Amino acid sequence: MNQDYQDPLEIYQEQFKEIYAAIKNRDRGYLYEAITYLDPENSEDICHYFGIDKNSTLDNDFKFCKPFLSSPIKDLSIFEHFLLKEIAKMKEEAERQVVELANFFAPVKDPSVILTGIIIVAFILPALYFFSQKLQPRRKLNKTTNIRQPQVKGRDRSLEPFKPRVTGLPRKPSVLCLVLSSRQFSGLNPGLQIPSSRVKELISSASYFLCDGSLQAIDQKVNLNFSGSSINFSSEEYAYIQLIIPEGEGMIAQETKYSLKKKLPDGDAKINKIARLINLDGLENFICA
C-alpha cells in the first residue's frame, strides 16, 4: 500500500475546518477568501469570472451560493448545450438527489450553517471555472448563463486558459519550523530523512509553525528557550523540530497548515534540529495553528 496515500474525505474535512476557522471572524468577503485559500494562484481569475466581490456581505455571498446548493445542474445552465450524452442522462437523477439539500438550506439564518454552505460552493467554483474554460470562450458563456456579471466596473480583460507552471529553474529550499507535542517525535532524530507524508503528519499536529528561506533567516526569527535534556516521547509537552525542505520555496511565508501542505513538494525532507522546550516564550514570529 502506498504510504503517501491520503483519504480524499479526510483531506476535504481538514481543508474545510481550516477554511472555516479562517473566515468565521470576517465581516465581509467570505466566499472570496474561501476560494483564495483553496486556489491562491488562480483565485483572482475565478472570482472575477463569477463576479465574486471581496467586500461582499455574508447575506450577499449566501444569496449567490444558494443556486449552487439548491440545484447545481438545473439552475446553472452553464453546461446545458455541451454535456456529453452520458452526463446528460445523469441530470434528472442528480436533480432529484439535491432536493433534500435545497430544503435544508432554504430557511437558514444560522451564520455557522451559512458559512458551511459558502465553503461548499467554494469547493465547487474552481472546478466549474476550469471546466468552462475548456468548453467555450468566456464571452460566449456570459451571454448564455445565469452567472452574475463581475461587479468591478471598467475591468474587461480576457482570461487565458489555465496552464501549469513550467520553469527550467529548480525551486529554492525552505526551512520549516514546527512546535508540537513530544509524542509526535518518536523515531525522529537530527539528520534523518523523512518522506513528505510524514512531514504532512507533523504539520497537521503542529500548534505553531514558521517557514522561511534560509537558516540565517530562521535564526533571526526563532528565539525559543531550548532544553539540553532529551525529549520525553510519552509526554504532551511541546518540542521543536526544524526541517530542510528541498525545493520548498513555495512554502515560505504561508499562513495556514493547509497551504503549507499544499505547497509541500514530493520527496524527502531532512531533520536539521530537534529540541525540547523549557517553555513557550519566544513564539512571537510563529503562526498559531
Side-chain angles (χ1 to χ4, degrees):
M1 182 177 179
N2 188 351
Q3 294 182 348
D4 290 335
Y5 173 79
Q6 285 187 288
D7 184 354
L9 179 59
E10 182 180 336
I11 295 174
Y12 166 78
Q13 291 173 336
E14 185 174 342
Q15 292 177 357
F16 188 97
K17 290 178 182 178
E18 292 193 11
I19 295 171
Y20 186 92
I23 70 173
K24 66 179 181 180
N25 294 323
R26 296 179 64 87
D27 59 353
R28 290 180 180 273
Y30 303 87
L31 182 57
Y32 185 96
E33 186 67 17
I35 293 174
T36 300
Y37 264 79
L38 285 169
D39 193 345
E41 293 183 2
N42 301 289
S43 59
E44 184 179 352
D45 285 343
I46 295 170
C47 291
H48 176 61
Y49 176 74
F50 286 104
I52 297 168
D53 188 351
K54 64 181 178 181
N55 294 314
S56 179
T57 64
L58 181 64
D59 287 342
N60 286 340
D61 273 350
F62 191 53
K63 287 178 183 177
F64 172 74
C65 291
K66 272 188 175 181
F68 294 87
L69 296 168
S70 61
S71 184
I73 296 179
K74 180 182 67 177
D75 293 342
L76 300 177
S77 57
I78 186 171
F79 306 125
E80 183 175 352
H81 301 295
F82 299 91
L83 288 172
L84 298 174
K85 291 183 179 180
E86 292 79 4
I87 300 178
K89 292 178 182 178
M90 299 167 57
K91 180 177 179 181
E92 183 177 350
E93 175 64 17
E95 290 174 3
R96 184 186 65 79
Q97 292 178 353
V98 299
V99 169
E100 183 176 348
L101 182 64
N103 292 335
F104 175 74
F105 278 103
V108 165
K109 294 183 179 180
D110 184 347
S112 64
V113 180
I114 291 176
L115 288 177
T116 297
I118 288 174
I119 295 173
I120 291 173
V121 174
F123 277 94
I124 295 172
L125 294 183
L128 286 180
Y129 169 76
F130 289 120
F131 189 44
S132 68
Q133 294 304 293
K134 288 188 175 183
L135 290 179
Q136 56 183 333
R138 176 173 177 267
R139 293 184 183 275
K140 185 176 180 180
L141 271 177
N142 284 340
K143 295 179 181 179
T144 59
T145 68
N146 68 341
I147 297 174
R148 64 182 180 180
Q149 298 298 312
Q151 298 173 356
V152 182
K153 296 182 179 180
R155 183 179 181 184
D156 184 18
R157 60 189 181 91
S158 58
L159 300 179
E160 297 180 357
F162 172 76
K163 297 179 181 179
R165 176 175 175 174
V166 178
T167 175
L169 298 176
R171 291 190 173 188
K172 297 178 181 179
S174 64
V175 183
L176 176 63
C177 305
L178 305 172
V179 174
L180 60 161
S181 168
S182 297
R183 290 182 179 272
Q184 304 295 328
F185 284 72
S186 180
L188 301 181
N189 294 291
L192 184 68
Q193 299 277 349
I194 59 175
S196 58
S197 58
R198 185 71 173 97
V199 176
K200 288 181 180 179
E201 292 175 1
L202 293 173
I203 294 174
S204 296
S205 301
S207 297
Y208 301 89
F209 62 89
L210 173 67
C211 190
D212 214 317
S214 68
L215 290 172
Q216 291 80 3
I218 290 295
D219 289 341
Q220 293 176 0
K221 295 181 179 180
V222 175
N223 188 29
L224 302 175
N225 295 319
F226 298 119
S227 169
S229 57
S230 301
I231 294 176
N232 181 1
F233 298 124
S234 62
S235 170
E236 291 293 342
E237 65 183 6
Y238 283 115
Y240 171 85
I241 186 170
Q242 187 180 94
L243 300 161
I244 307 298
I245 313 291
E247 298 189 358
E249 182 179 3
M251 301 174 66
I252 296 173
Q254 295 298 317
E255 297 183 350
T256 68
K257 293 196 290 186
Y258 165 67
S259 59
L260 274 180
K261 289 184 288 186
K262 185 176 181 180
K263 298 291 185 179
L264 177 68
D266 293 332
D268 292 345
K270 180 182 178 181
I271 300 177
N272 190 56
K273 183 175 183 178
I274 289 180
R276 189 175 183 175
L277 295 178
I278 298 175
N279 51 45
L280 292 180
D281 293 341
L283 288 169
E284 294 82 6
N285 292 317
F286 281 72
I287 296 175
C288 181

